Amino acid sequence: MATPTTTQPRGSAKVNRLGLEKSVYKGLDSTLCNGCGHDSISARIIDACWELGIKAEYVAKFSGIGCSSKSPAYFLSRSHGFNSLHGRMPSVATGAMVANNTLTGIGVSGDGDTGSIGFGQFKHAVRRNVPMVYIIENNGVYGLTKGQFSATADVGQELKHAGLNELPPIDLCLEALVADCGFVARAFAGDPKQVTELVKAALSFKGTAVIDIISPCVTFNDKDDSTKSYSWGKTHNERIFDVTFVPSYEEITVDYDEGQAKEVELHDGSKIVLKKVDRSHDPTNRMAAITLMEQAKTNQLFVTGLIYINSDRPDLRDYEDLPETPLALMPSSVTRPSKESLTKLMQGMM
Amino acid sequence: MAVEVQTKPATQSPSREPIVNDFSITIATKNGSGSQTANATILRALFKMGIPVSGKNIFPSNIQGLPTWYTIRVNKDGFTARKDESEILIAMNKATVIEDVQKMKPGTMCIYSDGLGYTPQRDDVIFYKIPAAKMAATSGLEGKLRGYAENMAYVGVLANLLGIEYVELEAALSHQFKGKAKAVEPNTKTIKAAMEWAKAELTKTDPYRVERMDKTTGMITIDGNTAAALGAVYGGVTFAAWYPITPATSVAEALGYYLKQLRTDPATQKPTYSIIQAEDELAALGMVVGAGWAGARAMTSTSGPGISLMAEFAGYAYFTEIPAVIVNVQRMGPSTGLPTRTSQGDVIPCYFLGHGDSKHPCLLPGTIKEIFEFSWRALDLAERFQTPIFLLTDLDFGMNQWMSESFDYPDREIDRGKVLSAEDLVRLKGNWGRYRDVDGDGIGWRTLPGTDHPLAAYFTRGTGHTDRATYSEKPEDWEGNLERLNRKFESARKVLPAPVEDQVDGAEIGIIGFGSTDPAIVEARVLLAKKGIKTSYMRLRALPLSESVSSFIRAHERVYVVEMNTDAQMTQLLRLDTPELAARIFQLNKNDGLPLTARWISESLQKMEA
């Protein structure tokens, strides 16, 4: 059950805790195909940021190349955006998030961008625990080049020009788990509430929060037998939890029976409430999460929800022991050592 | 223990005039045998005796076992270029001793270890056989470390024969081990033992000796990679990402060492910088570009293959106008090439790195002092022009110890370039465009992420864009943007370091060079002058080329471009920039992996003149 995060102002339009209307969080009009799953994800990012009352000026948006990577232009127009190179979003975000430790990072990538050309950078960003929300808009197909298989395509899947795919898919949630990611989730673009709650939780997570969102490509890969299609998603989506995110500034008002839900507290004091549905899964157990994902892969099950969470790992900013002042804003008086220090160094080399 | 310090060679050959402070020493060892410390000790001691000196390590791409030659040049006139041959050979490698001795000219000398099982075959070379292993035993070290101490045996014997002062050897070791007596002592023990042994057992019949001078006062010894790192430190670097690669690795290592020393906040003990070892060079430059975009003073350092991987981000940063500094310690290419040999083969690759019409200002330091200066200036230039700046050095500069003038503190404030703050945006009522040329210099104003103003944000993209950074495929937007980038490039041309010129009255011949070939060119001009050939010299210090280049070429009948690459890259760029003068420009290039020698330049130029 959604928690009330907005208040009714004097006028008719709803505003969030910053006094901002949702329209402030919008981006440019999308140029993606009508009905594209990616656009609904953009809408959920807008919902999540607005509902949490995040100050968009302190958000940095990142992407690589591909249909998915266009989408940061379609949300949070008050945030700086960085549409980088194909598969290189992780390195760019790494540099930016270290350069300014006050920024919140939201990255949007695709299955080609993350699972193929950027696979190495993805794994290393997770390994470093770069503080950012890492959304993969996964449709199993290369849309922008009109319909080639991606590395997440199913075995046996057929595409008009590409033919039959015989190679096993790369499961990006499993890959994140194996790389010690502390926040691994899978969702379906057609399940707005779940996506919104997961994005909200990810925004409060300290470290890399990976959300693999199955986002059907209505133009090239929306066939009923594709696991990345709307009809498959709707009929096979098996939620492991009902996810509710409760920000630190709110009381938990979620309604659940004793023993039916699990609460996970995040670094900033906010909480993720996971209400069990029917499957038994402990999202704080990494081996259980790996097993769940392996089973899902073998049986082509489409389980969604928060698969794994561990908020104990230091993030990259901890590893780098960053000072309070962002590196980007360090004054010259700090960054240039004194003349005397150079004289001393030179004397030592004489 | 009191040590008798020997300052004069025991016996002087009566038949030959002494040769003082003017010879080269080649030390032939096996890679990984620990000779680096010994060689650096000799170099440093000579330097501290006030004698101009240079050292070059000709080493294999290997950790242990393959042959290494270290050459030390002692020259009273201050010439520091590599010489073609040495007068003194220290033979410590069984595998190469026969060949090494064959290369010696008559009248020269050779110190060799008795452990080589070598019997001299020449009677026109003076030989000194030393019991290196026995002397090493005096160090008190065991195992592998004792093997290292064998190198100190030749240091001691050489010191005795040449007259290198013991106190300077001891000071040099202390300098290297940063005063750690425990590391210094075993080495000095062996040196002392070797000096005493040589005094008692050897009769000096060679003419070579050193004498104290005062020509290194106020100078330092340092390698180019440390100079580059220090430049960045004093340039206010706040972020560096890198990937290990020979010969650039020590830039990042020195950066870490000095940043820790100089840029740890005294109050919090936290670093005011961040260094990340990336997963590859793609990611290294990607991180730098991300950090530069967010407002850090960001740099990376790499070499050959790393430059190839950085091509995509270099082009991206050029087009999206993000500051970045890339230090390229050039090594021999193409491909993996010769990782431990020097070259100037990345001039054109760096200048035009990236697909489409990309081009980048390149700084070409020609002295170690300039490496330091250009390194801090590169950070300013990158932010001023919002573009990648390449600092091109090479392996000879980067990994060898050089004698250098001491470095000057930056003579200007740190330049953060054109950045709009939230207050600026209020003043402008939010009316700004990221790529708008409001100042006529082609450089737009940028905002940093995290700027607290609703209109501060813009969208960075490698695709076509308007001056407000919105997506555009319109031909006029594309052309307008590229024209502005060219304007910006021209603005950069005007402020980049100008060439250093020495125009000689009546000289028909001009020499153009850049980078580490400077010492060889300087000496070659003296050799040429002795033959009655007057030359002018222009040392380029940056790309794009300064406008003064064409007047230099015009002032001479023939201009020879000295460079260490196969395709005469700078020659081609000069011809491209001054097509009307192309017929006067001649290539004088060599690319065999070794630093150029003055003799090669002088003789090759004379051949071409003939």
Side-chain angles (χ1 to χ4, degrees), chain A residues 80-81 83 88 128 320-321 335-337 341 348-350, chain B residues 44 175 221 234 263 270 274 279 312 316 409 412 447 452 460:
Chain A
H80 276 71
N83 177 206
R88 314 296 176 227
R128 291 190 182 93
E320 292 300 299
D321 197 21
T335 59
R336 173 167 285 167
S341 69
M349 292 174 180
M350 281 176 184
Chain B
R44 176 83 191 166
H175 179 81
T221 56
Y234 284 87
R263 291 269 302 283
K270 279 179 178 279
S274 162
E279 56 269 35
E312 62 169 3
Y316 183 93
Y409 195 69
R412 63 203 83 167
T447 56
D452 194 1
T460 300

PDB file of all heavy atoms in Angstrom, chain A residues 80-81 83 88 128 320-321 335-337 341 348-350, chain B residues 44 175 221 234 263 270 274 279 312 316 409 412 447 452 460:
ATOM      1  N   HIS A  80      21.337  17.491 -14.667  1.00  0.00           N
ATOM      2  CA  HIS A  80      22.342  17.356 -15.705  1.00  0.00           C
ATOM      3  C   HIS A  80      22.300  15.924 -16.244  1.00  0.00           C
ATOM      4  O   HIS A  80      22.180  14.973 -15.466  1.00  0.00           O
ATOM      5  CB  HIS A  80      23.743  17.625 -15.151  1.00  0.00           C
ATOM      6  CG  HIS A  80      24.101  19.071 -15.099  1.00  0.00           C
ATOM      7  ND1 HIS A  80      23.537  19.955 -14.214  1.00  0.00           N
ATOM      8  CD2 HIS A  80      24.975  19.815 -15.840  1.00  0.00           C
ATOM      9  CE1 HIS A  80      24.043  21.165 -14.400  1.00  0.00           C
ATOM     10  NE2 HIS A  80      24.926  21.105 -15.379  1.00  0.00           N
ATOM     11  N   GLY A  81      22.414  15.802 -17.555  1.00  0.00           N
ATOM     12  CA  GLY A  81      22.360  14.478 -18.170  1.00  0.00           C
ATOM     13  C   GLY A  81      23.619  14.194 -18.955  1.00  0.00           C
ATOM     14  O   GLY A  81      24.253  15.109 -19.484  1.00  0.00           O
ATOM     15  N   ASN A  83      24.645  11.532 -21.778  1.00  0.00           N
ATOM     16  CA  ASN A  83      24.407  10.432 -22.711  1.00  0.00           C
ATOM     17  C   ASN A  83      25.782  10.056 -23.290  1.00  0.00           C
ATOM     18  O   ASN A  83      26.299  10.732 -24.161  1.00  0.00           O
ATOM     19  CB  ASN A  83      23.448  10.940 -23.799  1.00  0.00           C
ATOM     20  CG  ASN A  83      23.162   9.919 -24.884  1.00  0.00           C
ATOM     21  OD1 ASN A  83      22.837  10.289 -26.007  1.00  0.00           O
ATOM     22  ND2 ASN A  83      23.283   8.656 -24.585  1.00  0.00           N
ATOM     23  N   ARG A  88      29.652   2.519 -22.040  1.00  0.00           N
ATOM     24  CA  ARG A  88      30.627   3.225 -21.196  1.00  0.00           C
ATOM     25  C   ARG A  88      29.989   4.055 -20.085  1.00  0.00           C
ATOM     26  O   ARG A  88      30.671   4.832 -19.427  1.00  0.00           O
ATOM     27  CB  ARG A  88      31.514   4.141 -22.047  1.00  0.00           C
ATOM     28  CG  ARG A  88      32.058   3.528 -23.312  1.00  0.00           C
ATOM     29  CD  ARG A  88      32.994   2.356 -23.062  1.00  0.00           C
ATOM     30  NE  ARG A  88      33.396   1.767 -24.325  1.00  0.00           N
ATOM     31  CZ  ARG A  88      33.394   0.472 -24.604  1.00  0.00           C
ATOM     32  NH1 ARG A  88      33.026  -0.408 -23.697  1.00  0.00           N
ATOM     33  NH2 ARG A  88      33.765   0.048 -25.781  1.00  0.00           N
ATOM     34  N   ARG A 128      33.066  -1.976  -7.721  1.00  0.00           N
ATOM     35  CA  ARG A 128      33.493  -0.785  -6.968  1.00  0.00           C
ATOM     36  C   ARG A 128      32.367  -0.221  -6.101  1.00  0.00           C
ATOM     37  O   ARG A 128      32.587   0.662  -5.294  1.00  0.00           O
ATOM     38  CB  ARG A 128      33.946   0.312  -7.936  1.00  0.00           C
ATOM     39  CG  ARG A 128      35.217   0.004  -8.647  1.00  0.00           C
ATOM     40  CD  ARG A 128      35.764   1.201  -9.402  1.00  0.00           C
ATOM     41  NE  ARG A 128      36.976   0.795 -10.090  1.00  0.00           N
ATOM     42  CZ  ARG A 128      37.025   0.359 -11.343  1.00  0.00           C
ATOM     43  NH1 ARG A 128      35.923   0.352 -12.078  1.00  0.00           N
ATOM     44  NH2 ARG A 128      38.155  -0.036 -11.873  1.00  0.00           N
ATOM     45  N   GLU A 320      37.200   5.520  -1.433  1.00  0.00           N
ATOM     46  CA  GLU A 320      38.072   6.632  -1.811  1.00  0.00           C
ATOM     47  C   GLU A 320      38.271   7.610  -0.658  1.00  0.00           C
ATOM     48  O   GLU A 320      39.003   8.578  -0.799  1.00  0.00           O
ATOM     49  CB  GLU A 320      37.499   7.355  -3.042  1.00  0.00           C
ATOM     50  CG  GLU A 320      37.536   6.524  -4.318  1.00  0.00           C
ATOM     51  CD  GLU A 320      38.943   6.115  -4.700  1.00  0.00           C
ATOM     52  OE1 GLU A 320      39.774   7.003  -4.938  1.00  0.00           O
ATOM     53  OE2 GLU A 320      39.221   4.897  -4.733  1.00  0.00           O
ATOM     54  N   ASP A 321      37.588   7.376   0.434  1.00  0.00           N
ATOM     55  CA  ASP A 321      37.744   8.204   1.630  1.00  0.00           C
ATOM     56  C   ASP A 321      37.579   9.687   1.308  1.00  0.00           C
ATOM     57  O   ASP A 321      38.387  10.539   1.713  1.00  0.00           O
ATOM     58  CB  ASP A 321      39.138   7.934   2.246  1.00  0.00           C
ATOM     59  CG  ASP A 321      39.226   8.436   3.691  1.00  0.00           C
ATOM     60  OD1 ASP A 321      38.174   8.616   4.323  1.00  0.00           O
ATOM     61  OD2 ASP A 321      40.356   8.664   4.159  1.00  0.00           O
ATOM     62  N   THR A 335      43.962  22.797  -3.467  1.00  0.00           N
ATOM     63  CA  THR A 335      44.466  21.890  -4.505  1.00  0.00           C
ATOM     64  C   THR A 335      45.885  22.198  -4.946  1.00  0.00           C
ATOM     65  O   THR A 335      46.535  21.333  -5.525  1.00  0.00           O
ATOM     66  CB  THR A 335      43.543  21.886  -5.738  1.00  0.00           C
ATOM     67  OG1 THR A 335      43.453  23.218  -6.257  1.00  0.00           O
ATOM     68  CG2 THR A 335      42.167  21.384  -5.391  1.00  0.00           C
ATOM     69  N   ARG A 336      46.353  23.425  -4.720  1.00  0.00           N
ATOM     70  CA  ARG A 336      47.746  23.705  -5.107  1.00  0.00           C
ATOM     71  C   ARG A 336      48.608  23.816  -3.856  1.00  0.00           C
ATOM     72  O   ARG A 336      48.454  24.756  -3.072  1.00  0.00           O
ATOM     73  CB  ARG A 336      47.838  24.996  -5.932  1.00  0.00           C
ATOM     74  CG  ARG A 336      49.296  25.409  -6.193  1.00  0.00           C
ATOM     75  CD  ARG A 336      49.421  26.475  -7.258  1.00  0.00           C
ATOM     76  NE  ARG A 336      49.219  25.901  -8.580  1.00  0.00           N
ATOM     77  CZ  ARG A 336      49.024  26.616  -9.685  1.00  0.00           C
ATOM     78  NH1 ARG A 336      48.987  27.939  -9.625  1.00  0.00           N
ATOM     79  NH2 ARG A 336      48.853  26.024 -10.841  1.00  0.00           N
ATOM     80  N   PRO A 337      49.524  22.872  -3.663  1.00  0.00           N
ATOM     81  CA  PRO A 337      50.398  22.941  -2.491  1.00  0.00           C
ATOM     82  C   PRO A 337      51.253  24.209  -2.521  1.00  0.00           C
ATOM     83  O   PRO A 337      51.424  24.825  -3.573  1.00  0.00           O
ATOM     84  CB  PRO A 337      51.275  21.687  -2.618  1.00  0.00           C
ATOM     85  CG  PRO A 337      50.553  20.791  -3.560  1.00  0.00           C
ATOM     86  CD  PRO A 337      49.795  21.671  -4.478  1.00  0.00           C
ATOM     87  N   SER A 341      56.574  24.116  -0.216  1.00  0.00           N
ATOM     88  CA  SER A 341      56.626  22.657  -0.356  1.00  0.00           C
ATOM     89  C   SER A 341      57.399  22.265  -1.608  1.00  0.00           C
ATOM     90  O   SER A 341      58.139  21.276  -1.604  1.00  0.00           O
ATOM     91  CB  SER A 341      55.216  22.062  -0.380  1.00  0.00           C
ATOM     92  OG  SER A 341      54.539  22.405  -1.575  1.00  0.00           O
ATOM     93  N   GLY A 348      65.434  18.475  -1.915  1.00  0.00           N
ATOM     94  CA  GLY A 348      65.640  17.049  -1.695  1.00  0.00           C
ATOM     95  C   GLY A 348      66.166  16.322  -2.917  1.00  0.00           C
ATOM     96  O   GLY A 348      66.740  15.240  -2.817  1.00  0.00           O
ATOM     97  N   MET A 349      65.939  16.902  -4.076  1.00  0.00           N
ATOM     98  CA  MET A 349      66.388  16.255  -5.322  1.00  0.00           C
ATOM     99  C   MET A 349      67.720  16.823  -5.808  1.00  0.00           C
ATOM    100  O   MET A 349      68.254  16.386  -6.813  1.00  0.00           O
ATOM    101  CB  MET A 349      65.327  16.437  -6.405  1.00  0.00           C
ATOM    102  CG  MET A 349      64.052  15.675  -6.135  1.00  0.00           C
ATOM    103  SD  MET A 349      62.801  16.066  -7.368  1.00  0.00           S
ATOM    104  CE  MET A 349      61.454  15.047  -6.777  1.00  0.00           C
ATOM    105  N   MET A 350      68.185  17.856  -5.117  1.00  0.00           N
ATOM    106  CA  MET A 350      69.458  18.482  -5.529  1.00  0.00           C
ATOM    107  C   MET A 350      70.647  17.628  -5.110  1.00  0.00           C
ATOM    108  O   MET A 350      70.547  16.832  -4.202  1.00  0.00           O
ATOM    109  CB  MET A 350      69.582  19.876  -4.925  1.00  0.00           C
ATOM    110  CG  MET A 350      68.756  20.890  -5.705  1.00  0.00           C
ATOM    111  SD  MET A 350      68.813  22.509  -4.938  1.00  0.00           S
ATOM    112  CE  MET A 350      67.664  23.394  -5.998  1.00  0.00           C
TER     113      MET A 350
ATOM    114  N   ARG B  44      74.071   9.439  -9.506  1.00  0.00           N
ATOM    115  CA  ARG B  44      73.790  10.465  -8.506  1.00  0.00           C
ATOM    116  C   ARG B  44      75.100  10.991  -7.875  1.00  0.00           C
ATOM    117  O   ARG B  44      75.242  12.184  -7.630  1.00  0.00           O
ATOM    118  CB  ARG B  44      72.868   9.846  -7.446  1.00  0.00           C
ATOM    119  CG  ARG B  44      72.530  10.721  -6.284  1.00  0.00           C
ATOM    120  CD  ARG B  44      71.387  11.674  -6.576  1.00  0.00           C
ATOM    121  NE  ARG B  44      71.298  12.645  -5.490  1.00  0.00           N
ATOM    122  CZ  ARG B  44      70.611  13.757  -5.512  1.00  0.00           C
ATOM    123  NH1 ARG B  44      69.910  14.077  -6.565  1.00  0.00           N
ATOM    124  NH2 ARG B  44      70.605  14.563  -4.484  1.00  0.00           N
ATOM    125  N   HIS B 175      70.048   8.750  -0.373  1.00  0.00           N
ATOM    126  CA  HIS B 175      69.028   9.473  -1.142  1.00  0.00           C
ATOM    127  C   HIS B 175      68.018   8.485  -1.736  1.00  0.00           C
ATOM    128  O   HIS B 175      66.804   8.676  -1.650  1.00  0.00           O
ATOM    129  CB  HIS B 175      69.737  10.255  -2.254  1.00  0.00           C
ATOM    130  CG  HIS B 175      68.822  11.027  -3.159  1.00  0.00           C
ATOM    131  ND1 HIS B 175      68.311  12.264  -2.831  1.00  0.00           N
ATOM    132  CD2 HIS B 175      68.328  10.745  -4.390  1.00  0.00           C
ATOM    133  CE1 HIS B 175      67.562  12.705  -3.806  1.00  0.00           C
ATOM    134  NE2 HIS B 175      67.543  11.804  -4.772  1.00  0.00           N
ATOM    135  N   THR B 221      68.136  15.821  -9.852  1.00  0.00           N
ATOM    136  CA  THR B 221      67.998  14.627 -10.691  1.00  0.00           C
ATOM    137  C   THR B 221      66.597  14.075 -10.476  1.00  0.00           C
ATOM    138  O   THR B 221      66.103  14.009  -9.348  1.00  0.00           O
ATOM    139  CB  THR B 221      69.027  13.519 -10.349  1.00  0.00           C
ATOM    140  OG1 THR B 221      68.899  13.183  -8.966  1.00  0.00           O
ATOM    141  CG2 THR B 221      70.430  13.970 -10.637  1.00  0.00           C
ATOM    142  N   TYR B 234      50.911  20.101  -8.553  1.00  0.00           N
ATOM    143  CA  TYR B 234      50.911  21.563  -8.398  1.00  0.00           C
ATOM    144  C   TYR B 234      49.914  22.230  -9.347  1.00  0.00           C
ATOM    145  O   TYR B 234      49.627  23.419  -9.211  1.00  0.00           O
ATOM    146  CB  TYR B 234      52.337  22.118  -8.560  1.00  0.00           C
ATOM    147  CG  TYR B 234      53.150  21.853  -7.310  1.00  0.00           C
ATOM    148  CD1 TYR B 234      53.840  20.661  -7.135  1.00  0.00           C
ATOM    149  CD2 TYR B 234      53.138  22.774  -6.267  1.00  0.00           C
ATOM    150  CE1 TYR B 234      54.524  20.391  -5.965  1.00  0.00           C
ATOM    151  CE2 TYR B 234      53.820  22.513  -5.088  1.00  0.00           C
ATOM    152  CZ  TYR B 234      54.513  21.330  -4.936  1.00  0.00           C
ATOM    153  OH  TYR B 234      55.168  21.068  -3.766  1.00  0.00           O
ATOM    154  N   ARG B 263      48.800  16.478  -0.386  1.00  0.00           N
ATOM    155  CA  ARG B 263      47.395  16.832  -0.502  1.00  0.00           C
ATOM    156  C   ARG B 263      46.513  16.004   0.418  1.00  0.00           C
ATOM    157  O   ARG B 263      45.399  15.603   0.076  1.00  0.00           O
ATOM    158  CB  ARG B 263      46.969  16.688  -1.968  1.00  0.00           C
ATOM    159  CG  ARG B 263      47.612  17.756  -2.886  1.00  0.00           C
ATOM    160  CD  ARG B 263      46.712  18.974  -2.972  1.00  0.00           C
ATOM    161  NE  ARG B 263      45.442  18.509  -3.487  1.00  0.00           N
ATOM    162  CZ  ARG B 263      45.222  18.221  -4.777  1.00  0.00           C
ATOM    163  NH1 ARG B 263      46.140  18.448  -5.657  1.00  0.00           N
ATOM    164  NH2 ARG B 263      44.063  17.768  -5.172  1.00  0.00           N
ATOM    165  N   LYS B 270      42.109  13.394   5.423  1.00  0.00           N
ATOM    166  CA  LYS B 270      41.509  12.795   4.236  1.00  0.00           C
ATOM    167  C   LYS B 270      42.205  13.324   2.982  1.00  0.00           C
ATOM    168  O   LYS B 270      42.697  14.452   2.969  1.00  0.00           O
ATOM    169  CB  LYS B 270      40.019  13.139   4.168  1.00  0.00           C
ATOM    170  CG  LYS B 270      39.167  12.251   5.058  1.00  0.00           C
ATOM    171  CD  LYS B 270      37.704  12.669   4.968  1.00  0.00           C
ATOM    172  CE  LYS B 270      36.811  11.775   5.794  1.00  0.00           C
ATOM    173  NZ  LYS B 270      36.456  10.515   5.141  1.00  0.00           N
ATOM    174  N   SER B 274      41.309  11.880  -5.645  1.00  0.00           N
ATOM    175  CA  SER B 274      40.985  10.463  -5.750  1.00  0.00           C
ATOM    176  C   SER B 274      41.740   9.890  -6.939  1.00  0.00           C
ATOM    177  O   SER B 274      41.818  10.522  -7.994  1.00  0.00           O
ATOM    178  CB  SER B 274      39.471  10.300  -5.922  1.00  0.00           C
ATOM    179  OG  SER B 274      39.166   9.029  -6.418  1.00  0.00           O
ATOM    180  N   GLU B 279      39.718  -0.599 -14.947  1.00  0.00           N
ATOM    181  CA  GLU B 279      39.795  -1.957 -15.483  1.00  0.00           C
ATOM    182  C   GLU B 279      40.482  -1.995 -16.850  1.00  0.00           C
ATOM    183  O   GLU B 279      40.879  -3.055 -17.316  1.00  0.00           O
ATOM    184  CB  GLU B 279      38.408  -2.604 -15.560  1.00  0.00           C
ATOM    185  CG  GLU B 279      37.362  -1.846 -16.366  1.00  0.00           C
ATOM    186  CD  GLU B 279      36.553  -0.878 -15.508  1.00  0.00           C
ATOM    187  OE1 GLU B 279      37.124  -0.291 -14.567  1.00  0.00           O
ATOM    188  OE2 GLU B 279      35.347  -0.703 -15.783  1.00  0.00           O
ATOM    189  N   GLU B 312      38.003   6.482 -28.424  1.00  0.00           N
ATOM    190  CA  GLU B 312      36.571   6.803 -28.463  1.00  0.00           C
ATOM    191  C   GLU B 312      36.212   7.906 -27.474  1.00  0.00           C
ATOM    192  O   GLU B 312      35.428   8.803 -27.802  1.00  0.00           O
ATOM    193  CB  GLU B 312      35.692   5.560 -28.278  1.00  0.00           C
ATOM    194  CG  GLU B 312      35.823   4.832 -26.968  1.00  0.00           C
ATOM    195  CD  GLU B 312      34.708   3.776 -26.789  1.00  0.00           C
ATOM    196  OE1 GLU B 312      33.882   3.588 -27.707  1.00  0.00           O
ATOM    197  OE2 GLU B 312      34.676   3.147 -25.726  1.00  0.00           O
ATOM    198  N   TYR B 316      34.900  11.741 -28.080  1.00  0.00           N
ATOM    199  CA  TYR B 316      33.691  12.150 -27.367  1.00  0.00           C
ATOM    200  C   TYR B 316      33.921  13.457 -26.607  1.00  0.00           C
ATOM    201  O   TYR B 316      33.126  14.396 -26.673  1.00  0.00           O
ATOM    202  CB  TYR B 316      33.263  11.041 -26.395  1.00  0.00           C
ATOM    203  CG  TYR B 316      31.975  11.358 -25.667  1.00  0.00           C
ATOM    204  CD1 TYR B 316      30.750  10.920 -26.176  1.00  0.00           C
ATOM    205  CD2 TYR B 316      31.983  12.117 -24.504  1.00  0.00           C
ATOM    206  CE1 TYR B 316      29.571  11.229 -25.523  1.00  0.00           C
ATOM    207  CE2 TYR B 316      30.809  12.441 -23.852  1.00  0.00           C
ATOM    208  CZ  TYR B 316      29.603  11.991 -24.360  1.00  0.00           C
ATOM    209  OH  TYR B 316      28.440  12.321 -23.717  1.00  0.00           O
ATOM    210  N   TYR B 409      57.806  27.315  -9.339  1.00  0.00           N
ATOM    211  CA  TYR B 409      56.412  27.287  -8.879  1.00  0.00           C
ATOM    212  C   TYR B 409      55.535  27.947  -9.952  1.00  0.00           C
ATOM    213  O   TYR B 409      55.960  28.915 -10.582  1.00  0.00           O
ATOM    214  CB  TYR B 409      56.322  28.071  -7.568  1.00  0.00           C
ATOM    215  CG  TYR B 409      55.054  27.842  -6.792  1.00  0.00           C
ATOM    216  CD1 TYR B 409      54.802  26.621  -6.184  1.00  0.00           C
ATOM    217  CD2 TYR B 409      54.112  28.862  -6.647  1.00  0.00           C
ATOM    218  CE1 TYR B 409      53.644  26.408  -5.460  1.00  0.00           C
ATOM    219  CE2 TYR B 409      52.948  28.657  -5.928  1.00  0.00           C
ATOM    220  CZ  TYR B 409      52.717  27.431  -5.329  1.00  0.00           C
ATOM    221  OH  TYR B 409      51.570  27.223  -4.615  1.00  0.00           O
ATOM    222  N   ARG B 412      51.100  31.549 -12.255  1.00  0.00           N
ATOM    223  CA  ARG B 412      49.756  32.118 -12.362  1.00  0.00           C
ATOM    224  C   ARG B 412      48.762  31.283 -11.560  1.00  0.00           C
ATOM    225  O   ARG B 412      49.033  30.128 -11.242  1.00  0.00           O
ATOM    226  CB  ARG B 412      49.323  32.223 -13.822  1.00  0.00           C
ATOM    227  CG  ARG B 412      49.203  30.895 -14.531  1.00  0.00           C
ATOM    228  CD  ARG B 412      49.312  31.019 -16.031  1.00  0.00           C
ATOM    229  NE  ARG B 412      50.713  31.051 -16.449  1.00  0.00           N
ATOM    230  CZ  ARG B 412      51.118  30.907 -17.714  1.00  0.00           C
ATOM    231  NH1 ARG B 412      50.241  30.763 -18.682  1.00  0.00           N
ATOM    232  NH2 ARG B 412      52.398  30.902 -18.011  1.00  0.00           N
ATOM    233  N   THR B 447      27.967  24.638 -16.973  1.00  0.00           N
ATOM    234  CA  THR B 447      27.549  24.551 -15.574  1.00  0.00           C
ATOM    235  C   THR B 447      27.950  23.166 -15.080  1.00  0.00           C
ATOM    236  O   THR B 447      28.117  22.247 -15.882  1.00  0.00           O
ATOM    237  CB  THR B 447      26.028  24.699 -15.406  1.00  0.00           C
ATOM    238  OG1 THR B 447      25.392  23.700 -16.221  1.00  0.00           O
ATOM    239  CG2 THR B 447      25.547  26.085 -15.824  1.00  0.00           C
ATOM    240  N   ASP B 452      22.719  24.717  -8.093  1.00  0.00           N
ATOM    241  CA  ASP B 452      21.361  24.856  -7.564  1.00  0.00           C
ATOM    242  C   ASP B 452      20.580  25.974  -8.260  1.00  0.00           C
ATOM    243  O   ASP B 452      20.380  27.050  -7.716  1.00  0.00           O
ATOM    244  CB  ASP B 452      21.445  25.100  -6.053  1.00  0.00           C
ATOM    245  CG  ASP B 452      20.089  24.916  -5.383  1.00  0.00           C
ATOM    246  OD1 ASP B 452      19.120  24.578  -6.108  1.00  0.00           O
ATOM    247  OD2 ASP B 452      20.011  25.092  -4.158  1.00  0.00           O
ATOM    248  N   THR B 460      24.359  16.480 -21.954  1.00  0.00           N
ATOM    249  CA  THR B 460      25.591  16.221 -22.694  1.00  0.00           C
ATOM    250  C   THR B 460      25.388  15.014 -23.599  1.00  0.00           C
ATOM    251  O   THR B 460      24.956  13.963 -23.128  1.00  0.00           O
ATOM    252  CB  THR B 460      26.732  15.953 -21.697  1.00  0.00           C
ATOM    253  OG1 THR B 460      26.881  17.096 -20.868  1.00  0.00           O
ATOM    254  CG2 THR B 460      28.036  15.672 -22.418  1.00  0.00           C
TER     255      THR B 460
END
